Amino acid sequence: MSLWVDSFRPKTLDDLHYHHDLSARLKSLATSGDFPHLLFYGPSGAGKKTRISCTLRQLFGPGVEKLKIDQRVFISPSRRKLEINLVQSNYHIEITPSEAGSYDRVVIQDLLKEIAQTQQVDLSAKHRFKVVIINEADSLSRDAQAALRRTMEKYMSNMRIILCAHTTSRLIAPIKSRCLLVRVAAPTTEEMKIVMEHVAKRLKFDLPPEASLQIAENAAGNMRKALLVFEALKMQSPDLSGPLQIAKPDWETYCHKVADLIVQEQSPARVMEVRAKFYELLSHCIPPTIILKTVADRVVEKVDEALKADVIHWAAFYELRMRLGSKKIYHLEAWVVKVMCLYKHFIYNFDMSEFD
């Protein structure tokens, strides 16, 4: 039995419950004879991938839903084997090259060139090109983006590329200039309530307005999170009555404990303890940028007003370093040491000022 977030995912552009103007524009693009490269960007849980899959269905019909998962092996210049998972149909292929780390350029060059040099095999297809969806496009290295730019120029006749990203700030200008930018904004609280009421109606039960409001406010614009929390609460309390206790994810609670450790004590032993907890989070596939952001937000809540700006400044600094480097733990640990130094220096100066 699948989760509600998957069971009730819209299949067509007409089924979407918010951003109707955007749906109309995508429908118009899909039915036109000149479909461009697209760049979908927006916050997590706003519905980027749902809109991409609906656009593909509008382009090619229900055949795009017949998916298979494949694993491809790429060989890096240093003869290292890279295993990348692909999701594909007869009409499109979905990849996440950033899984290859610093070797994402190899994936971009080899795979896209192979796809672009082949013709569409389905003679009944409405369009003669194949679509390549690239997830986490803003995490691609500069070399991979440069390779992608050349491919977009050279093989436009056989292939269209749809990029999915959180932000456009980390993409090079030539890629942005070759794509039609599609911003998918986070849904409002009212729009999220409409979606949850639709799900409740499909499942034939009544959703109290106060419950939908509380879930929507807790999700803060993340539709995926709202539906997951909604389903979890429904399993716990079938009538959804009374004040709801929305639990935080375990990884978020764990990040808050890490932040508390940083503020409570500043020592080499504490740094090693925090490092072990970072390894624990990374081993459970929590993205390092999310770890850094969550811990930094919690530290900002705990420290004095004079330190807040510095904590965020160095979090941004080490996040950039983390994206450029390959070993994430080094940059997480460097940020912890920097924050500990700032905090200890602040406490020392504060204590000394009491004697003046």
Side-chain angles (χ1 to χ4, degrees):
M1 184 177 177
S2 59
L3 297 169
W4 291 356
V5 72
D6 295 318
S7 300
F8 300 106
R9 187 187 299 274
K11 296 286 195 298
T12 67
L13 291 169
D14 293 328
D15 294 339
L16 295 166
H17 288 86
Y18 55 92
H19 300 336
H20 297 296
D21 292 345
L22 176 57
S23 299
R25 287 199 298 274
L26 291 172
K27 194 172 183 178
S28 177
L29 279 173
T31 53
S32 69
D34 187 19
F35 189 77
H37 299 303
L38 295 178
L39 168 54
F40 285 79
Y41 68 100
S44 181
K48 299 185 293 297
K49 289 186 179 178
T50 299
R51 275 162 178 74
I52 290 171
S53 62
C54 291
T55 304
L56 287 175
R57 186 185 172 104
Q58 188 72 36
L59 272 171
F60 300 108
V64 293
E65 294 172 6
K66 296 176 181 177
L67 301 173
K68 64 176 181 178
I69 299 174
D70 193 14
Q71 191 175 68
R72 291 285 301 276
V73 177
F74 300 90
I75 307 297
S76 71
S78 59
R79 311 307 299 169
R80 179 180 173 182
K81 288 186 177 181
L82 309 170
E83 295 183 353
I84 300 293
N85 291 322
L86 313 175
V87 178
Q88 57 185 335
S89 70
N90 290 335
Y91 310 98
H92 82 289
I93 186 165
E94 184 176 343
I95 58 172
T96 308
S98 57
E99 290 177 355
S102 57
Y103 295 107
D104 52 359
R105 177 180 59 83
V106 177
V107 178
I108 292 286
Q109 285 180 325
D110 294 357
L111 184 64
L112 295 193
K113 190 178 292 184
E114 176 190 320
I115 295 168
Q117 290 176 342
T118 58
Q119 292 285 342
Q120 174 64 266
V121 293
D122 189 353
L123 298 178
S124 63
K126 299 177 184 177
H127 300 276
R128 303 305 303 152
F129 56 79
K130 204 165 186 178
V131 174
V132 179
I133 301 170
I134 298 180
N135 295 320
E136 299 178 17
D138 49 343
S139 297
L140 294 175
S141 65
R142 302 284 287 193
D143 289 343
Q145 291 187 43
L148 178 60
R149 166 198 177 179
R150 291 190 292 272
T151 306
M152 292 169 77
E153 292 172 343
K154 191 172 180 181
Y155 300 110
M156 179 74 176
S157 59
N158 289 351
M159 180 177 65
R160 296 293 188 276
I161 291 175
I162 298 180
L163 304 174
C164 186
H166 287 106
T167 176
T168 61
S169 61
R170 292 191 291 270
L171 290 168
I172 60 176
I175 285 184
K176 289 186 279 189
S177 68
R178 285 161 177 78
C179 295
L180 177 64
L181 271 63
V182 180
R183 179 175 179 267
V184 184
T188 63
T189 300
E190 287 302 316
E191 289 168 338
M192 296 172 79
K193 287 172 65 179
I194 290 171
V195 174
M196 286 187 283
E197 286 164 5
H198 168 75
V199 171
K201 187 177 179 181
R202 291 277 300 274
L203 292 168
K204 298 179 181 178
F205 69 86
D206 293 327
L207 174 62
E210 58 275 9
S212 63
L213 178 62
Q214 188 176 346
I215 294 169
E217 289 177 345
N218 174 264
N222 190 327
M223 194 69 245
R224 186 192 310 110
K225 180 180 178 182
L227 289 174
L228 290 171
V229 169
F230 180 26
E231 183 174 6
L233 291 173
K234 176 64 177 172
M235 296 301 109
Q236 294 169 9
S237 174
D239 57 354
L240 293 173
S241 60
L244 301 175
Q245 298 296 323
I246 300 176
K248 290 183 178 178
D250 290 343
W251 65 265
E252 192 173 331
T253 305
Y254 203 76
C255 285
H256 288 176
K257 288 181 181 178
V258 173
D260 294 342
L261 290 174
I262 293 170
V263 176
Q264 287 165 7
E265 182 187 331
Q266 298 77 45
S267 65
R270 182 53 57 94
V271 172
M272 296 303 294
E273 187 179 347
V274 169
R275 172 196 260 194
K277 294 191 179 300
F278 278 150
Y279 271 124
E280 184 74 18
L281 287 163
L282 291 170
S283 68
H284 283 80
C285 300
I286 308 300
T289 52
I290 298 295
I291 295 172
L292 181 56
K293 180 182 182 300
T294 308
V295 175
D297 287 345
R298 178 71 170 184
V299 169
V300 164
E301 293 176 11
K302 295 281 186 177
V303 299
D304 191 86
E305 197 71 32
L307 280 176
K308 293 182 188 295
D310 285 335
V311 170
I312 294 298
H313 165 77
W314 288 107
F317 176 82
Y318 284 108
E319 183 188 7
L320 176 62
R321 296 283 293 271
M322 195 190 305
R323 292 183 185 280
L324 297 175
S326 56
K327 199 73 170 165
K328 311 302 182 185
I329 189 67
Y330 293 161
H331 308 288
L332 289 170
E333 192 175 19
W335 175 78
V336 169
V337 173
K338 186 69 180 180
V339 170
M340 283 186 174
C341 289
L342 289 169
Y343 190 75
K344 195 153 193 173
H345 185 69
F346 173 80
I347 294 297
Y348 176 77
N349 287 341
F350 181 79
D351 291 342
M352 292 300 292
S353 65
E354 292 183 349
F355 293 102
D356 293 343

